Amino acid sequence: MNFKDYYDVLKVGKLASEKEIKKAYRKLAAQYHPDKNKGNKVSEEKFKEVSEAYQVLGDAEKRKQYDALGSDWAKFQQSGASYDDFMRQRQYQGHYQNQRSRHYSGTDFGFGGQGGFSDFFEAFFGGGNANGAYYDAPGQDLSGEVDLDLVEAYHGTERLLDVHGQRIKLKIKPGAYTGLELRARGKGQKGSRGRAGDLYVKIRVNTHGLYRREGDNLHMRIPVDVFRAMLGGKYEVMTLSGKVSIILKEGTQNGKTFRLKGRGMPKYGKPGQYGDLFVTVDVKLPTKLTAQQREMLEEIQKKA
């Protein structure tokens, strides 16, 4: 049995709520249901895979075990052992076997065979060596994604995350960008002796309808009617920090770009520093002229 990323199967993040997981499952189950895809073997396999993923992620206890085991989930399924027994054996093989400072033959303590007392002790009691020393093995790190809109990324924001019933407030500073990874120490999976792993959260900033982001700079296009472009005048631009006026010179050409210094995104982790906003003029021609407008333009054309 190969390891399957059930979060990927359901197309949800690792911090997805129970409600989000259920919604994703219902959508995919409806999409791949055999009744809608009769004779389609690919859809049939997809339906089984989606159902299998939901059986695990839709159950709070199974999901907790799945998150803790990660790529060892398939081994656990095959082992037939209880979760606690499997975890003890996993810790023995991974964390402790490489850290033993002493080794005693089994015959020294009357157990016989190849294994030592340390092996015997660890296999049944979850760690330690012949001297009675224990190791504080940390729990598994957890990871997930958080989506922000551009306005939230500009001003900074907070997210309240539910990680296996634990409510965690994540503060995100101004200037967050896609790919930024935040680390919350000790907010991951708890270890066998209480020491927890860390929580890693990747930020994804969604696209905006008005602004296009390039690093800390922003780009936008403003529609300007042909008459204003010809005559010039003041034009108000809406930036993420408020309105700013720019002056259009007489005869402003299509594609003219203005640079507004410091009106871009905050530079993450650098308070008071900002990128720039580049505003490009998009001259709009009228699709229909009034009789008077046509007469005036024809007169201008004769004199040009």
Side-chain angles (χ1 to χ4, degrees):
M1 182 189 295
N2 295 323
F3 171 70
K4 293 180 181 177
D5 186 340
Y6 291 145
Y7 290 101
D8 186 56
V9 170
L10 294 181
K11 303 185 187 307
V12 296
K14 291 187 177 180
L15 298 180
S17 66
E18 183 180 335
K19 185 177 180 181
E20 289 172 328
I21 288 173
K22 183 180 288 187
K23 182 179 178 181
Y25 163 69
R26 286 177 174 173
K27 178 182 177 181
L28 293 171
Q31 180 181 345
Y32 296 116
H33 199 282
D35 289 346
K36 290 186 177 180
N37 303 274
K38 291 182 179 180
N40 189 325
K41 294 295 183 182
V42 175
S43 292
E44 185 179 336
E45 288 304 313
K46 278 284 188 182
F47 181 77
K48 290 178 181 178
E49 193 175 52
V50 166
S51 299
E52 179 185 328
Y54 183 66
Q55 285 178 6
V56 175
L57 299 187
D59 183 296
E61 186 59 30
K62 286 182 181 178
R63 182 183 179 185
K64 184 177 179 181
Q65 294 174 359
Y66 176 81
D67 287 341
L69 290 171
S71 59
D72 282 341
W73 174 260
K75 293 179 183 177
F76 166 57
Q77 294 292 91
Q78 290 174 320
S79 70
S82 71
Y83 175 72
D84 290 339
D85 287 344
F86 185 83
M87 286 296 287
R88 279 197 290 268
Q89 184 64 17
R90 181 173 180 250
Q91 288 167 348
Y92 158 65
Q93 292 175 342
H95 291 294
Y96 303 132
Q97 193 171 28
N98 294 330
Q99 301 182 58
R100 288 180 297 184
S101 59
R102 297 180 63 186
H103 177 77
Y104 299 87
S105 69
T107 53
D108 291 337
F109 293 90
F111 288 104
Q114 298 295 318
F117 179 80
S118 179
D119 297 328
F120 176 84
F121 192 88
E122 288 172 355
F124 285 89
F125 297 100
N129 58 26
N131 292 322
Y134 284 80
Y135 301 100
D136 185 9
Q140 185 174 348
D141 293 337
L142 298 179
S143 62
E145 287 187 348
V146 165
D147 283 2
L148 305 180
D149 61 43
L150 192 64
V151 176
E152 289 179 308
Y154 181 90
H155 294 288
T157 187
E158 293 181 351
R159 283 289 189 275
L160 194 60
L161 307 178
D162 187 344
V163 182
H164 300 321
Q166 182 183 12
R167 307 283 279 183
I168 298 172
K169 183 183 285 187
L170 182 70
K171 292 186 178 182
I172 305 169
K173 293 186 288 188
Y177 51 88
T178 295
L180 172 67
E181 187 173 68
L182 304 178
R183 177 186 184 186
R185 293 179 181 274
K187 299 300 182 180
Q189 190 74 34
K190 285 190 176 181
S192 60
R193 295 177 60 78
R195 182 180 163 200
D198 297 331
L199 172 65
Y200 292 88
V201 179
K202 277 193 175 181
I203 301 298
R204 181 171 56 197
V205 181
N206 297 323
T207 55
H208 192 277
L210 185 59
Y211 306 100
R212 175 173 58 84
R213 184 176 184 177
E214 286 186 1
D216 297 319
N217 295 327
L218 293 175
H219 297 258
M220 69 181 298
R221 303 186 73 88
I222 56 171
V224 177
D225 67 74
V226 67
F227 302 108
R228 183 181 293 192
M230 292 169 64
L231 297 172
K234 186 183 292 187
Y235 190 99
E236 280 194 341
V237 176
M238 177 58 72
T239 76
L240 287 174
S241 57
K243 290 182 179 180
V244 174
S245 293
I246 60 174
I247 302 299
L248 301 176
K249 292 182 179 180
E250 184 178 303
T252 296
Q253 298 296 304
N254 183 55
K256 168 69 176 177
T257 298
F258 296 84
R259 178 185 180 185
L260 305 183
K261 294 191 71 174
R263 293 289 180 168
M265 293 296 292
K267 296 187 177 183
Y268 187 81
K270 298 179 179 179
Q273 296 186 36
Y274 294 81
D276 301 328
L277 172 62
F278 294 86
V279 181
T280 300
V281 173
D282 197 358
V283 176
K284 299 294 184 182
L285 297 174
T287 56
K288 191 174 182 181
L289 297 173
T290 65
Q292 185 181 12
Q293 287 172 334
R294 186 175 183 82
E295 185 180 337
M296 290 175 63
L297 286 173
E298 287 175 346
E299 188 66 27
I300 292 172
Q301 186 182 36
K302 289 178 184 178
K303 295 179 179 180

